[in-house]
Amino acid sequence: MASHSHVSSINQAGSPSQAFVEKSSAPPINILPSKLAQAYSYAHPILLLTLCAARFEALVADPVQELLADLPWLALLQLFYVLLCLPPAASPSADSSPASDAKAARSRSGKPGYRRKNSGKNVWAAVWAKLMPACLSLGLTFLATPIIAALLVMFGAPLTTHNYETVLCAAHMALLSASQLAYVHGVDGSVWKEVWGIARPADTVWGSALGTGLGAWFGAIPIPLDWDRPWQAFPITILVGAYIGYALGTLLSRTPLLYGKRIQFSSESEEEDEKKTN
């Protein structure tokens, strides 16, 4: 009887379902709890959409020149956003909820001498602790540009023509999608496996990346239609779709309906039936 219970406990611990439950995953990322960060986190995607709409006519007139001119401004806006609103990789704030962050901030501010300890060199150290990963994330983002450019070609972008348009469109999409992921997750291999496997829990960072990709995909629909409109030229609608998808993904993924949820391609019952047949 003892041996039977021992064997059953081993089987339960080693079963695939139990191993899946115990598998650790990086939690969803929360916006920093300060009032300024919370307010700007909603204003940022609206600001990007406003700038995209304001520069739309110039984009249609000369896509290469406009994409190149807007790229540094987009990089600065994304840099400011991650510095103000997101916790850097490996920071305790990245693994806590908004309520616990606010509670911790109140408890720290109530301690005697807290303001004195958080001045001078400590302030500059805190700024550098966020600025360095932000700059590194921009570098990693531009390394992702060739990958996104190759994906654009695989999904139908011209291979022998419009090369400047393809690269610049990929650079904009990389800044929209990869800069925040690189800032909050660094080079964590397990997280990036979830990203490429579309298995991350929904949050504002993952939502913006997924929204950018889906928006660009839907944005390609008007290109082959015979409307003979100048704005149908590659990559105008793809880029506009990426910006709209970024804004929607950023905002919708923070709602209680989506936050923390994962995309499921098959139901649990189907997975169990498949395991039984195998």
Side-chain angles (χ1 to χ4, degrees):
M1 187 68 180
S3 61
H4 176 73
S5 61
H6 178 68
V7 172
S8 62
S9 63
I10 293 176
N11 290 337
Q12 291 177 358
S15 63
S17 60
Q18 184 72 12
F20 177 79
V21 171
E22 292 178 353
K23 181 182 177 180
S24 61
S25 176
I29 300 299
N30 298 302
I31 299 294
L32 294 177
S34 70
K35 292 182 179 180
L36 181 59
Q38 292 288 328
Y40 185 73
S41 66
Y42 289 104
H44 180 72
I46 299 174
L47 175 62
L48 290 183
L49 283 182
T50 302
L51 293 176
C52 181
R55 303 301 302 170
F56 181 74
E57 292 185 2
L59 179 64
V60 174
D62 191 347
V64 174
Q65 182 64 31
E66 185 62 27
L67 289 175
L68 188 60
D70 291 344
L71 196 60
W73 296 106
L74 177 60
L76 286 175
L77 286 173
Q78 289 296 86
L79 182 66
F80 180 74
Y81 173 70
V82 298
L83 286 172
L84 181 62
C85 300
L86 298 176
S91 85
S93 300
D95 301 334
S96 57
S97 64
S100 62
D101 287 339
K103 182 178 180 181
R106 288 195 299 268
S107 64
R108 288 195 300 267
S109 61
K111 291 182 180 179
Y114 176 75
R115 292 177 182 267
R116 292 193 300 269
K117 292 181 180 179
N118 197 31
S119 60
K121 293 183 178 180
N122 290 338
V123 172
W124 284 108
V127 171
W128 178 249
K130 299 197 69 175
L131 185 60
M132 183 177 66
C135 294
L136 290 175
S137 68
L138 285 181
L140 293 173
T141 296
F142 284 108
L143 289 177
T145 299
I147 300 175
I148 297 179
L151 290 175
L152 288 174
V153 172
M154 289 174 60
F155 279 95
L159 178 61
T160 58
T161 61
H162 297 78
N163 299 127
Y164 291 115
E165 289 89 340
T166 301
V167 172
L168 289 171
C169 180
H172 277 253
M173 290 179 61
L175 281 171
L176 291 173
S177 59
S179 59
Q180 298 167 95
L181 286 169
Y183 180 76
V184 299
H185 296 303
V187 291
D188 189 340
S190 61
V191 172
W192 287 100
K193 286 180 181 178
E194 289 182 338
V195 169
W196 289 109
I198 317 180
R200 284 290 303 151
D203 56 26
T204 185
V205 177
W206 170 231
S208 63
L210 187 60
T212 299
L214 290 176
W217 185 47
F218 282 108
I221 294 176
I223 294 178
L225 302 179
D226 55 350
W227 295 343
D228 296 328
R229 297 291 189 272
W231 51 263
Q232 287 181 265
F234 173 82
I236 296 171
T237 57
I238 292 177
L239 191 69
V240 172
Y243 273 83
I244 295 174
Y246 170 87
L248 292 177
T250 300
L251 298 174
L252 294 178
S253 58
R254 299 175 60 181
T255 62
L257 182 64
L258 297 178
Y259 180 79
K261 305 293 179 59
R262 298 174 188 266
I263 297 176
Q264 292 185 354
F265 295 99
S266 61
S267 63
E268 294 181 359
S269 59
E270 291 177 355
E271 292 179 355
E272 291 178 358
D273 293 340
E274 185 179 352
K275 290 176 183 177
K276 290 179 181 179
T277 56
N278 292 335

